[in-house]
Amino acid sequence: MKRWKLDRRMLVIAGASAVLAGCQVIPKGPTTSTAPEPTPTPTPSESGLPDDEERHRVALLVPMSGTNGAVGQSIANATTMALLDTNADNLRITTYDTSTNARDAARRAIADGNKLILGPLLGSNVGPVLAEARPADVPLISFSNDTSVAGAGVFLMGHIPEQSVARSVAYARQRGSANFAAIVPDGEYGRRAEAALSAAVVESGGRLVATETYTRSNTSVVSAAQRIAGEGGFDTVLLADGARLASLAARELRSDGGKMQILGTELWSGEGAVTSAAALRGALFAAVSDARFKRFSDSYRSRFGSQPYRISTLGYDGVLLALRVAEDWRVGSGFPVARLREEGGFLGLDGPFRFQGNGVIQRAMEVREIRDGQVVIVSPAPSGF
């Protein structure tokens, strides 16, 4: 078997994520891929795969049709890019469509002899996939960021909203923020954001004084902002939504010309609207670094004729991770799960990351500030762990 040594240079060959939480928020991106995929291409499973004596079998479980089909296709394209960019000939990646029946897709993947599953995309599909994978001792590296589904044999690659909130709060505290408030949407994402803010504020020695919720509409978010502004007693407020609704709330909070410190979340990453909203000037938010994403995006567009979804980097990094572990992985044997827990972690398109004991990914995040019509990095992401 030919072994591949991955280092930092390999991870930036193509250059260089958006939330896919329990509420399944998908970042904006293309709806179609207008160019054919180059070879080698992850392909849907057939009745049987050729015998592999020198290649590891890895299954990619993503939706290839339906509501999230374009996202799944973007991830599949990114895995193809990773194989091409590394000239890898010791991995066979086969795509299984989870859009109609995730458990059936997993059953076929296991029957085909795959020893590692990249996916599924949605946290709600982890349980059905795990029902087939766990008895076969096949681990999952899911693209979800729903931390409730992590555990034995399930590792999460998704960008975790709670880590974004914690990073922003820690930086705001360094800048003098003491009393915090939150305006969060109804639903799973809002609950997670509120809980993350509460935990981060307590840990940093601050105080959470008020929280308001709203339905995702213009009038509801404005009303929530007006209510919380009437309560007062805080100098910093978290607006846990995209730029459009967050700017409406910020306008109410700063209607008197005050300099209320606004915090956003990773949902603002890549949103051009954050720089055009006057009410968001000076706002802070944390996200993974985009330093490598532009080169990745340019390479993707030249190959597939469309823009990638931001989350597609997870597919690319999943392949690189498998290749890294393949250095000590004998073809045909079980995937060496222990290698995923290396303390020093790994370097991907989205920067350094490592898996914690509970299977949840830990990512290095940077803090950005909206300033004079642009987004400025005010606290770079750590270079490692």
Side-chain angles (χ1 to χ4, degrees):
M1 177 183 71
K2 187 173 182 179
R3 293 189 175 184
W4 294 88
K5 182 177 181 181
L6 296 190
D7 57 15
R8 290 174 181 262
R9 290 172 297 178
M10 180 174 289
L11 295 176
V12 296
I13 292 174
S17 8
V19 170
L20 191 59
C23 58
Q24 299 175 4
V25 177
I26 301 292
K28 294 180 180 179
T31 57
T32 60
S33 178
T34 59
E37 299 177 25
T39 55
T41 299
T43 56
S45 176
E46 301 173 353
S47 57
L49 295 176
D51 292 334
D52 286 309
E53 296 181 357
E54 296 184 356
R55 288 197 288 183
H56 300 287
R57 291 185 178 181
V58 176
L60 176 68
L61 267 64
V62 291
M64 299 297 285
S65 58
T67 303
N68 295 314
V71 183
Q73 182 65 64
S74 187
I75 292 174
N77 289 346
T79 63
T80 295
M81 284 180 60
L83 292 174
L84 292 169
D85 291 339
T86 57
N87 294 316
D89 62 0
N90 61 341
L91 288 186
R92 172 187 290 279
I93 297 183
T94 307
T95 302
Y96 300 81
D97 186 1
T98 61
S99 58
T100 57
N101 190 319
R103 182 163 185 173
D104 182 62
R107 183 180 298 114
R108 288 183 287 116
I110 299 302
D112 284 344
N114 291 281
K115 301 300 184 182
L116 172 68
I117 291 176
L118 300 179
L121 175 63
L122 304 179
S124 58
N125 283 341
V126 168
V129 171
L130 191 61
E132 298 294 329
R134 180 168 284 165
D137 200 25
V138 173
L140 278 56
I141 300 179
S142 173
F143 305 124
S144 171
N145 63 9
D146 181 357
T147 56
S148 69
V149 301
V154 181
F155 298 82
L156 300 188
M157 283 282 285
H159 300 166
I160 310 300
E162 289 87 344
Q163 294 176 14
S164 170
V165 172
R167 179 79 164 94
S168 296
V169 168
Y171 183 78
R173 286 285 290 144
Q174 293 175 7
R175 297 230 312 211
S177 294
N179 299 308
F180 293 77
I183 300 177
V184 301
D186 288 333
E188 179 64 20
Y189 185 82
R191 287 190 291 272
R192 290 178 65 181
E194 181 182 357
L197 177 67
S198 178
V201 168
V202 169
E203 183 177 351
S204 65
R207 193 165 67 101
L208 180 60
V209 300
T211 301
E212 288 288 344
T213 61
Y214 62 93
T215 57
R216 278 193 161 115
S217 69
N218 294 1
T219 55
S220 184
V221 74
V222 167
S223 295
Q226 292 171 342
R227 291 194 302 272
I228 208 166
E231 297 181 39
F234 55 89
D235 51 52
T236 304
V237 59
L238 172 70
L239 304 179
D241 213 324
R244 187 182 69 80
L245 291 179
S247 64
L248 293 177
R251 192 181 306 163
E252 297 297 323
L253 294 169
R254 291 175 163 177
S255 60
D256 60 356
K259 296 183 178 180
M260 175 73 62
Q261 177 64 67
I262 302 295
L263 301 182
T265 72
E266 81 294 336
L267 290 178
W268 291 8
S269 181
E271 277 208 47
V274 297
T275 59
S276 59
L280 294 180
R281 290 174 184 166
L284 302 170
F285 69 99
V288 297
S289 173
D290 282 334
R292 299 180 178 90
F293 181 72
K294 185 180 185 306
R295 291 180 61 190
F296 165 80
S297 180
D298 290 345
S299 178
Y300 183 104
R301 187 171 58 252
S302 70
R303 281 169 161 150
F304 304 106
S306 61
Q307 286 290 110
Y309 280 80
R310 184 62 180 84
I311 198 174
S312 64
T313 56
L314 302 184
Y316 193 101
D317 286 351
V319 172
L320 296 183
L321 185 61
L323 284 171
R324 171 74 177 273
V325 174
E327 295 176 355
D328 301 312
W329 181 15
R330 185 171 56 82
V331 172
S333 65
F335 184 82
V337 175
R339 288 290 308 280
L340 295 179
R341 298 191 177 93
E342 290 185 5
E343 187 175 352
F346 308 91
L347 181 67
L349 295 184
D350 294 326
F353 68 91
R354 65 181 175 184
F355 294 106
Q356 303 173 89
N358 59 0
V360 175
I361 200 167
Q362 179 184 4
R363 291 187 177 276
M365 293 192 173
E366 64 189 20
V367 180
R368 307 172 190 171
E369 182 177 0
I370 302 167
R371 183 189 301 170
D372 299 326
Q374 56 185 330
V375 177
V376 179
I377 299 171
V378 293
S379 180
S383 60
F385 300 100

